[in-house]
Structure formats: C-alpha cells, structure tokens
Amino acid sequence: MALRHAVLAALLEGELSGYQLTKAFDIGVANFWHAQPQQLYAELTRLEKDGLIAGRAVVQETRPTKRLFHVTDAGLAELEEFTAAFAKPSFIRDDLLVKVQAADHVDTETLIGQLTERASFAEAKIQLFGKLLRKMRGDRTEEEFLRHGRRIGPYLTCLRGLALEQGNRDWCERTITVLRERQHSRARH
C-alpha cells in the first residue's frame, strides 16, 4: 500500500484541509498507516497534480487562506483498483520483540520497564479507540451501527486498531509476569 491510498481513503470522509488530514491520521488512520505531517502535505501535492484529488481555496477573515481537498472520480477509480488488487499479508517489525527474543541474555529489569511502558501506551490507545468508536456510533449499539451506519469502514479499521492494542497490552502484561516469575524462581535457587 502506498501513502496515496491511505490519504485517498481518509479524504472519503469529506473535504479536509492539510491540517485536518494530519489530525485524521493521528486519530484514526494511524492505527494502520503512520505518516509524518510533511509526508502528508507532500502527498496532497502529488495527488492533486495527478488529478486524484481536487483542492479549493477558502478565504478566512482572521487566518490565512486554507485549501480543502476532496477525492475526484479519478481518485475513486484509483481506490477501486487498489481495493481489487491482492492484499499482501502484513508483517511485524518491532524492536521490542527482538529485545524479548534475547530475554534470557539481557537485563530483565530494563526489559520489564520497556514492556511496562509499551503496555501503558497500548492502554492509552485502547482508551482513545473506545472514545472514537463511541463517537462514531453515537447512541446506537455496535451491531445497529454496523448494520445501518452511513460509513462503516472507519469504524471497522478502528475496531482492528482496538484489537491490536488490546493484544499488545495483554502480551506485554503476560510477558512481564513470566519474566518476574523467572526472576523470583532464579533468586530462590
């Protein structure tokens, strides 16, 4: 997947400025695609040049003029083509997993500290995803929203982000428990 597809998908929500797009990435899209703000602005320029999005200037009285972008028919066709293509399986590339792989030969307390930090980060993301999901579905139950909601794609990707972070938190907590138990076991022998 290219950044262009993630940007096009984010712009399906409606017209967004570059700033609003960076916020959309921070909140929702970041659970499956990470990009720096400067990368997003550069991609907006490329997408507009390629005719996949169109921008319009909005004059603001007390602020500089801003540009709002929306997906064009060519952009929708690009997303359609992208969606039809084979989706390669994702892979994990995580420094913390390499450190845990070496757990039997490194300082366990340092590792536990990093796992604790990662579990806290995951818990914060879990809370954020929970708020986003509640906001998206409003006063409906999840099942009602999934059956009758206007746009379920962002909701479904948010559910995936939630499940991923729950798995990360649970794995970190279990790994901490195992490492602590092994420390205590070694101390007794």
Side-chain angles (χ1 to χ4, degrees):
M1 174 171 77
L3 177 57
R4 69 185 313 135
H5 300 114
V7 170
L8 288 169
L11 287 173
L12 291 174
E13 289 295 313
E15 281 190 317
L16 297 176
S17 68
Y19 176 77
Q20 290 168 318
L21 180 66
T22 62
K23 292 300 169 204
F25 260 73
D26 281 348
I27 294 170
V29 179
N31 75 75
F32 61 88
W33 193 268
H34 176 75
Q36 298 294 328
Q38 59 270 27
Q39 292 173 295
L40 293 172
Y41 283 105
E43 193 60 40
L44 284 171
T45 300
R46 283 189 289 276
L47 288 168
E48 189 172 28
K49 181 177 156 274
D50 293 345
L52 302 178
I53 64 171
R56 67 180 180 94
V58 176
V59 178
Q60 304 178 100
E61 287 186 31
T62 60
R63 294 185 179 167
T65 299
K66 70 178 177 179
R67 289 185 48 77
L68 295 178
F69 299 93
H70 67 275
V71 178
T72 63
D73 289 342
L76 286 173
E78 171 80 15
L79 275 174
E80 188 69 40
E81 187 178 314
F82 171 72
T83 302
F86 174 74
K88 296 176 190 170
S90 59
F91 61 91
I92 298 173
R93 199 168 170 174
D94 188 333
D95 290 350
L96 185 56
L97 291 175
V98 174
K99 294 173 183 184
V100 171
Q101 177 77 17
D104 301 307
H105 304 282
V106 298
D107 178 14
T108 307
E109 275 309 310
T110 300
L111 196 50
I112 288 171
Q114 291 179 18
L115 287 159
T116 301
E117 189 176 302
R118 180 71 64 89
S120 295
F121 177 80
E123 185 59 41
K125 295 279 286 195
I126 290 166
Q127 298 306 315
L128 176 64
F129 286 134
K131 285 180 191 176
L132 284 170
L133 290 166
R134 286 188 297 277
K135 182 179 177 183
M136 281 188 247
R137 72 176 175 262
D139 59 354
R140 297 185 218 180
T141 66
E142 186 165 275
E143 289 310 311
E144 289 173 327
F145 180 79
L146 291 173
R147 264 188 260 120
H148 306 292
R150 186 179 66 82
R151 286 201 63 229
I152 62 165
Y155 195 89
L156 293 170
T157 59
C158 196
L159 281 177
R160 176 63 184 117
L162 176 65
L164 176 70
E165 293 303 340
Q166 289 169 330
N168 285 338
R169 179 202 56 203
D170 295 349
W171 176 81
C172 286
E173 290 173 353
R174 176 153 192 239
T175 302
I176 290 167
T177 300
V178 168
L179 292 174
R180 288 220 185 278
E181 287 172 356
R182 289 176 62 85
Q183 278 178 329
H184 293 239
S185 176
R186 278 189 228 139
R188 281 186 264 145
H189 290 84

